[in-house]
Amino acid sequence: MGSRKKQMADAIKEAKKHVAFAKLNNCPTSPRKMRLVADLVRGEKVEKALNILKFNNKEASGRLEKLLLSAIANWQAKNEDADVETAELFVKEIRVDGGSMLKRLRPAPQGRAHRIRKRSNHVTLVVGANNNTQA
C-alpha cells in the first residue's frame, strides 16, 4: 500500500472511531409505526433516548431500545479505553426503511378477495460521540 493511501485509510479509520451503528432487519412492524417512535429519539443524548424508549408504551419502542443498547455496545467495542458516560454519546442518525412485504388474501363478499399487505421494516441507528469535548 502506498504511503498516501495508508495515511488516508488511517484518517478514515480515526474518523469512524467516534461513530458506531446497529441494524435491525426485517422487523415485523410497519415502517409508519416505527417512524413515530424513531422521531422521538432522533438527535437526543443516549441516556435521555433510553428513558424515552423505556417508558413509551408502543411495541416499537422495546425493539428500538434493544437496538440502541446494541449500538452503544458496538461503540464500546471500538473505543475500549473510553468511557460511555464521559463520551456524551447521542443518536446521530436513525433511519427507518421499508422491508419486504408478506401478501395475504382476505375473503370479501360476493366471491371477491382483498389483499392484505403485512409490512416489515429495516432500522439503521448510528450513535456518535461529541468530539468537541475530547479536544
Side-chain angles (χ1 to χ4, degrees), residues 37-54:
V37 181
D39 291 340
L40 295 174
V41 297
R42 184 175 288 122
E44 297 288 343
K45 290 194 174 189
V46 166
E47 295 84 14
K48 186 175 179 187
L50 281 172
N51 284 333
I52 290 170
L53 293 173
K54 187 174 184 179

Side-chain angles (χ1 to χ4, degrees), residues 20-22 66-76 125-127:
F21 70 96
K66 194 171 176 183
L67 185 69
L68 181 56
L69 289 171
S70 175
I72 294 168
N74 292 344
W75 186 89
Q76 187 92 37
L125 194 143
V126 180
V127 171

